[in-house]
Amino acid sequence: SKDAGGGHYHAYEPQLHAHAEERRVIEIALRKAIEKGEMHLCYQPVVSAEDASLTGFEALLRWTHPEMGVISPAKFVAVAEEARLIAPIGEWVLRTACEEAVRWPSDVRVAVNVSTEQLHDSNFVTSVISALSHSGLPPHRLELEVTESVFMREGSGAVAVLGQILDLGIHLSLDDFGTGYSSLGYLSRTRFSTIKIDRSFVQGAARNAPESLAIVRAIVAMADSLNMTTTAEGVETEEEYLMIRRLGCRKIQGYLFGRPMVDTEARKLFSTLTRS
Ligand code: C2E
Ligand code: CA
Ligand code: CA
Ligand code: CA
């Protein structure tokens, strides 16, 4: 916070207030958002680095508020977590992603983001099982994306919960790898299929930044030796794609190969991107 002495304090206070007010407004609207049908999912293609064939989609949540317009999950997921609304929202996301993916014309995977708060909810595993059984989606077609922060809380049981998820035949991926709390020890206790390399390293590597190059090389080498695959996130340019492919990354996600799109648009991609 700003220096408490001097005139800065008063300039800072109204801003703090506006922030809290904004959160309150979002929270109230969020409570009604699902029943009002204001949420939908977009799907972003994930392709093979080798031949650009489609390997799956990541489901990304979208909230269109009648007055505020489209609100980014980057903004409302944190509010939902604090207001204890992430469990019902996360349940809706899981159910919807499974129901839409089961109707796709090919058996590619759908990846669903799971927030750390949601994973620690006691009903989490039950809601995953119910999303699978209601939709009929085979477990091996579902991938759950978690971040390193799930391992931060001591005694939270994250390893056990993730173990139950793996026992169901669901895949796990480690999202935003390298940007949060690093706890490499957990990589040996939880069987992740995929490590997702954050966009910041992708950009750095394409600019030939030595640190980013070293980090991407190290992640790819580690993933290879642990029998995991790697997905580079946020690939926007041909240069980024070529560099990432040269560094041995297996899968690519980013605007270069497709922006997040609604289900009906995603279906059209199958004919053009799927190996025949
Ligand atoms: P994330 O899981 O890291 O998702 C990737 C984000 O990068 C998405 O932002 C995606 O639209 C964006 N992106 C993809 N390709 C590119 C690219 O080439 N360039 C750039 N600049 N960006 C790209 P989005 O959809 O706004 O989601 C933001 C974050 O919100 C996600 O980050 C994820 O942490 C969270 N989120 C999204 N959907 C859900 C959800 O259903 N549940 C939970 N708990 N969190 C979600
Ligand atoms: Ca993700
Ligand atoms: Ca990510
Ligand atoms: Ca991210």
Side-chain angles (χ1 to χ4, degrees):
S1 68
K2 289 255 173 78
D3 185 1
H8 292 295
Y9 184 77
H10 292 289
Y12 185 61
E13 202 181 24
Q15 207 184 323
L16 236 188
H17 181 73
H19 187 66
E21 178 62 19
E22 186 190 41
R23 289 196 151 229
R24 207 180 61 86
V25 170
I26 290 178
E27 183 185 326
I28 291 167
L30 206 47
R31 285 189 192 279
K32 297 267 182 222
I34 293 177
E35 60 184 75
K36 286 168 128 182
E38 293 169 359
M39 299 275 188
H40 74 274
L41 294 181
C42 275
Y43 296 93
Q44 184 177 31
V46 179
V47 303
S48 153
E50 194 192 347
D51 60 2
S53 61
L54 184 70
T55 66
F57 285 97
E58 176 177 1
L60 294 160
L61 184 55
R62 295 290 177 262
W63 176 23
T64 312
H65 184 276
E67 282 114 46
M68 293 185 276
V70 179
I71 305 175
S72 165
K75 197 162 203 173
F76 70 79
V77 166
V79 179
E81 287 182 334
E82 277 174 34
R84 302 185 159 278
L85 291 169
I86 198 65
I89 292 170
E91 233 171 89
W92 181 88
V93 170
L94 264 167
R95 196 157 26 86
T96 306
C98 291
E99 282 168 4
E100 294 188 328
V102 81
R103 286 184 260 118
W104 292 344
S106 135
D107 59 358
V108 299
R109 284 188 203 170
V110 62
V112 173
N113 290 285
V114 173
S115 91
T116 294
E117 288 299 325
Q118 186 187 353
L119 186 94
H120 290 118
D121 186 278
S122 57
N123 289 318
F124 176 65
V125 176
T126 311
S127 70
V128 173
I129 293 171
S130 116
L132 287 175
S133 64
H134 281 109
S135 62
L137 186 78
H140 68 266
R141 289 193 52 204
L142 180 61
E143 182 161 320
L144 299 183
E145 299 196 357
V146 301
T147 62
E148 293 155 283
S149 69
V150 298
F151 300 117
M152 273 177 79
R153 241 180 274 172
E154 280 302 323
S156 66
V159 171
V161 171
L162 293 174
Q164 286 178 269
I165 292 299
L166 288 168
D167 287 345
L168 292 168
I170 294 165
H171 297 277
L172 290 178
S173 63
L174 195 50
D175 208 351
D176 302 339
F177 186 73
T179 63
Y181 173 83
S182 305
S183 52
L184 296 180
Y186 288 105
L187 285 177
S188 63
R189 295 172 65 193
T190 301
R191 231 177 326 108
F192 286 95
S193 305
T194 307
I195 293 180
K196 300 193 78 169
I197 302 173
D198 194 73
R199 164 160 172 73
S200 54
F201 303 124
V202 172
Q203 284 178 303
R207 280 199 317 265
N208 271 304
E211 302 80 12
S212 295
L213 285 169
I215 289 169
V216 174
R217 281 199 190 97
I219 296 174
V220 169
M222 183 184 72
D224 280 347
S225 57
L226 290 172
N227 248 320
M228 298 174 188
T229 176
T230 42
T231 299
E233 295 196 276
V235 173
E236 293 184 353
T237 67
E238 196 73 28
E239 290 71 36
E240 288 170 352
Y241 168 52
L242 293 175
M243 175 57 86
I244 278 303
R245 194 173 64 172
R246 195 156 82 212
L247 292 169
C249 197
R250 302 288 176 78
K251 294 190 223 171
I252 310 277
Q253 183 178 354
Y255 296 163
L256 183 66
F257 292 98
R259 291 191 172 246
M261 58 193 92
V262 294
D263 182 53
T264 48
E265 288 298 312
R267 284 154 182 265
K268 291 181 193 155
L269 267 189
F270 282 97
S271 47
T272 56
L273 281 175
T274 316
R275 266 196 215 104
S276 49

PDB file of all heavy atoms in Angstrom, residues 58 113 145 175-176 196 198 233, ligand 3:
ATOM      1  N   GLU A  58      -9.405 -27.041 -24.933  1.00  0.00           N
ATOM      2  CA  GLU A  58      -9.521 -26.589 -23.542  1.00  0.00           C
ATOM      3  C   GLU A  58     -10.810 -25.785 -23.433  1.00  0.00           C
ATOM      4  O   GLU A  58     -11.059 -24.872 -24.233  1.00  0.00           O
ATOM      5  CB  GLU A  58      -8.338 -25.707 -23.129  1.00  0.00           C
ATOM      6  CG  GLU A  58      -8.516 -25.162 -21.698  1.00  0.00           C
ATOM      7  CD  GLU A  58      -7.342 -24.331 -21.180  1.00  0.00           C
ATOM      8  OE1 GLU A  58      -6.366 -24.135 -21.926  1.00  0.00           O
ATOM      9  OE2 GLU A  58      -7.429 -23.885 -20.016  1.00  0.00           O
ATOM     10  N   ASN A 113     -10.565 -26.515 -16.627  1.00  0.00           N
ATOM     11  CA  ASN A 113      -9.809 -25.872 -15.549  1.00  0.00           C
ATOM     12  C   ASN A 113     -10.477 -26.103 -14.205  1.00  0.00           C
ATOM     13  O   ASN A 113     -11.688 -25.916 -14.070  1.00  0.00           O
ATOM     14  CB  ASN A 113      -9.704 -24.361 -15.803  1.00  0.00           C
ATOM     15  CG  ASN A 113      -8.809 -24.052 -16.975  1.00  0.00           C
ATOM     16  OD1 ASN A 113      -7.590 -24.145 -16.883  1.00  0.00           O
ATOM     17  ND2 ASN A 113      -9.423 -23.719 -18.106  1.00  0.00           N
ATOM     18  N   GLU A 145      -7.232 -29.580 -15.535  1.00  0.00           N
ATOM     19  CA  GLU A 145      -6.048 -28.720 -15.429  1.00  0.00           C
ATOM     20  C   GLU A 145      -6.007 -28.083 -14.041  1.00  0.00           C
ATOM     21  O   GLU A 145      -6.936 -27.392 -13.642  1.00  0.00           O
ATOM     22  CB  GLU A 145      -6.093 -27.616 -16.500  1.00  0.00           C
ATOM     23  CG  GLU A 145      -6.096 -28.172 -17.913  1.00  0.00           C
ATOM     24  CD  GLU A 145      -5.748 -27.138 -18.974  1.00  0.00           C
ATOM     25  OE1 GLU A 145      -5.555 -25.942 -18.632  1.00  0.00           O
ATOM     26  OE2 GLU A 145      -5.643 -27.536 -20.154  1.00  0.00           O
ATOM     27  N   ASP A 175      -1.071 -26.774 -15.054  1.00  0.00           N
ATOM     28  CA  ASP A 175      -1.264 -25.529 -15.796  1.00  0.00           C
ATOM     29  C   ASP A 175      -0.277 -24.453 -15.345  1.00  0.00           C
ATOM     30  O   ASP A 175       0.154 -24.462 -14.187  1.00  0.00           O
ATOM     31  CB  ASP A 175      -2.696 -25.035 -15.526  1.00  0.00           C
ATOM     32  CG  ASP A 175      -3.257 -24.208 -16.672  1.00  0.00           C
ATOM     33  OD1 ASP A 175      -2.503 -23.873 -17.605  1.00  0.00           O
ATOM     34  OD2 ASP A 175      -4.464 -23.891 -16.617  1.00  0.00           O
ATOM     35  N   ASP A 176       0.028 -23.536 -16.235  1.00  0.00           N
ATOM     36  CA  ASP A 176       0.861 -22.372 -15.906  1.00  0.00           C
ATOM     37  C   ASP A 176       2.159 -22.775 -15.218  1.00  0.00           C
ATOM     38  O   ASP A 176       2.643 -22.087 -14.312  1.00  0.00           O
ATOM     39  CB  ASP A 176       0.112 -21.409 -14.956  1.00  0.00           C
ATOM     40  CG  ASP A 176      -1.202 -20.922 -15.544  1.00  0.00           C
ATOM     41  OD1 ASP A 176      -1.363 -20.984 -16.774  1.00  0.00           O
ATOM     42  OD2 ASP A 176      -2.064 -20.479 -14.765  1.00  0.00           O
ATOM     43  N   LYS A 196       1.817 -27.781 -18.847  1.00  0.00           N
ATOM     44  CA  LYS A 196       1.537 -26.655 -19.725  1.00  0.00           C
ATOM     45  C   LYS A 196       2.531 -25.528 -19.447  1.00  0.00           C
ATOM     46  O   LYS A 196       2.641 -25.057 -18.320  1.00  0.00           O
ATOM     47  CB  LYS A 196       0.091 -26.184 -19.553  1.00  0.00           C
ATOM     48  CG  LYS A 196      -0.901 -27.307 -19.877  1.00  0.00           C
ATOM     49  CD  LYS A 196      -2.320 -26.809 -20.014  1.00  0.00           C
ATOM     50  CE  LYS A 196      -2.566 -26.138 -21.334  1.00  0.00           C
ATOM     51  NZ  LYS A 196      -4.027 -25.885 -21.558  1.00  0.00           N
ATOM     52  N   ASP A 198       3.809 -21.917 -19.594  1.00  0.00           N
ATOM     53  CA  ASP A 198       3.181 -20.609 -19.632  1.00  0.00           C
ATOM     54  C   ASP A 198       3.653 -19.755 -20.815  1.00  0.00           C
ATOM     55  O   ASP A 198       4.806 -19.825 -21.239  1.00  0.00           O
ATOM     56  CB  ASP A 198       3.461 -19.867 -18.322  1.00  0.00           C
ATOM     57  CG  ASP A 198       2.568 -18.658 -18.156  1.00  0.00           C
ATOM     58  OD1 ASP A 198       1.367 -18.858 -17.878  1.00  0.00           O
ATOM     59  OD2 ASP A 198       3.052 -17.526 -18.353  1.00  0.00           O
ATOM     60  N   GLU A 233       1.656 -22.824 -24.217  1.00  0.00           N
ATOM     61  CA  GLU A 233       0.460 -21.983 -24.189  1.00  0.00           C
ATOM     62  C   GLU A 233       0.702 -20.638 -24.864  1.00  0.00           C
ATOM     63  O   GLU A 233       1.798 -20.084 -24.793  1.00  0.00           O
ATOM     64  CB  GLU A 233       0.089 -21.667 -22.744  1.00  0.00           C
ATOM     65  CG  GLU A 233      -0.323 -22.838 -21.906  1.00  0.00           C
ATOM     66  CD  GLU A 233      -1.030 -22.338 -20.648  1.00  0.00           C
ATOM     67  OE1 GLU A 233      -0.344 -22.003 -19.678  1.00  0.00           O
ATOM     68  OE2 GLU A 233      -2.258 -22.260 -20.672  1.00  0.00           O
TER      69      GLU A 233
HETATM   70 CA    CA B   3      -2.421 -21.821 -18.519  1.00  0.00          CA
END
